[in-house]
Amino acid sequence: MSYEHLTPMQMDALREVGNIGAGNAATALSQLLNKKIDMSVPAINVVPFDEIFAGIGGEEIVYGVLVRVLGDTPGNILFVFEKETAVNIIELLIGVKEDSVSEMGNSVISEIGNIISASYMNAIAKFTNLTIIPSVPAVTYDMLGAILSTTFIESGQFDEYVLDVETQFLQDNSKISGHFYYIPMPGSLEIILNSLGVM
């Protein structure tokens, strides 16, 4: 099944799961940092693969956090942050402005990917009663096109469309956005939608 063919009801179901996942992630980040962190999902869009390249720039160097999804609905989750966004998130969370991202900064980005992916997967698992387990995240710094292409190939997924969940972090009036791409292996999306009762 292609994202292109999702019905409005199916998109609403995925949006609701996204909002709950964002709420769970905000709570987890707030507890970890002992600071009030809000997260929102301002938009969930089905985007042509080519449009991502055109919109962000396939040759732009970005930070990517890749999390493999194991269990009943295998696939990959990819978070993408522009370098400036990554630096701002690190400053927001540890209070240190880094000109270039240090090992500590990489760990922060990795841990954010870990918390957010686990929060989203737990939200889906709760709704569907499926077993969904996120792997340990891997952080990469490369051209967006290279990261996306590798992620798609690893998923055995050659669909022309991808689910883009725009995510905003808010803390003390600071607003920082990242992009979250869910790339299911063939068959996984059908299993999720069927379990949500919107097939």
Side-chain angles (χ1 to χ4, degrees):
M1 177 181 199
S2 169
Y3 281 125
E4 179 190 12
H5 299 121
L6 289 176
T7 66
M9 184 181 286
Q10 289 169 335
M11 284 294 289
D12 283 344
L14 291 174
R15 190 173 291 111
E16 183 61 23
V17 170
N19 281 321
I20 290 169
N24 292 348
T27 301
L29 284 171
S30 295
Q31 289 170 347
L32 177 72
L33 302 162
N34 205 22
K35 292 180 183 176
K36 180 169 171 52
I37 304 279
D38 289 316
M39 278 182 63
S40 67
V41 177
I44 294 184
N45 298 304
V46 175
V47 186
F49 193 75
D50 293 341
E51 197 174 293
I52 297 170
F53 282 75
I56 305 178
E59 295 184 1
E60 181 174 350
I61 304 292
V62 297
Y63 277 90
V65 182
L66 178 64
V67 178
R68 288 179 179 82
V69 180
L70 312 170
D72 294 334
T73 58
N76 286 324
I77 288 174
L78 177 66
F79 291 97
V80 173
F81 302 110
E82 293 173 16
K83 182 184 176 185
E84 185 180 344
T85 301
V87 168
N88 289 341
I89 287 173
I90 293 162
E91 183 181 15
L92 178 68
L93 298 185
I94 65 173
V96 176
K97 179 81 170 176
E98 297 185 338
D99 292 327
S100 58
V101 176
S102 65
E103 195 173 321
M104 166 67 97
N106 263 326
S107 296
V108 169
I109 295 293
S110 176
E111 188 55 26
I112 286 173
N114 195 25
I115 288 169
I116 298 174
S117 58
S119 298
Y120 277 91
M121 292 301 99
N122 288 342
I124 293 173
K126 185 177 177 184
F127 271 98
T128 60
N129 290 319
L130 295 168
T131 300
I132 303 173
I133 307 153
S135 73
V136 175
V139 178
T140 184
Y141 183 57
D142 203 343
M143 289 188 300
L144 175 63
I147 295 172
L148 280 172
S149 299
T150 302
T151 306
F152 267 67
I153 290 165
E154 281 190 0
S155 298
Q157 179 67 282
F158 303 100
D159 195 352
E160 292 178 6
Y161 293 83
V162 64
L163 188 72
D164 174 11
V165 181
E166 189 179 345
T167 305
Q168 286 186 341
F169 301 80
L170 302 130
Q171 197 256 328
D172 294 340
N173 297 319
S174 298
K175 185 185 290 185
I176 296 173
S177 294
H179 288 266
F180 169 112
Y181 301 104
Y182 176 48
I183 302 124
M185 286 190 178
S188 291
L189 183 60
E190 289 88 333
I191 292 169
I192 290 172
L193 291 171
N194 191 47
S195 298
L196 288 169
V198 289
M199 244 339 253

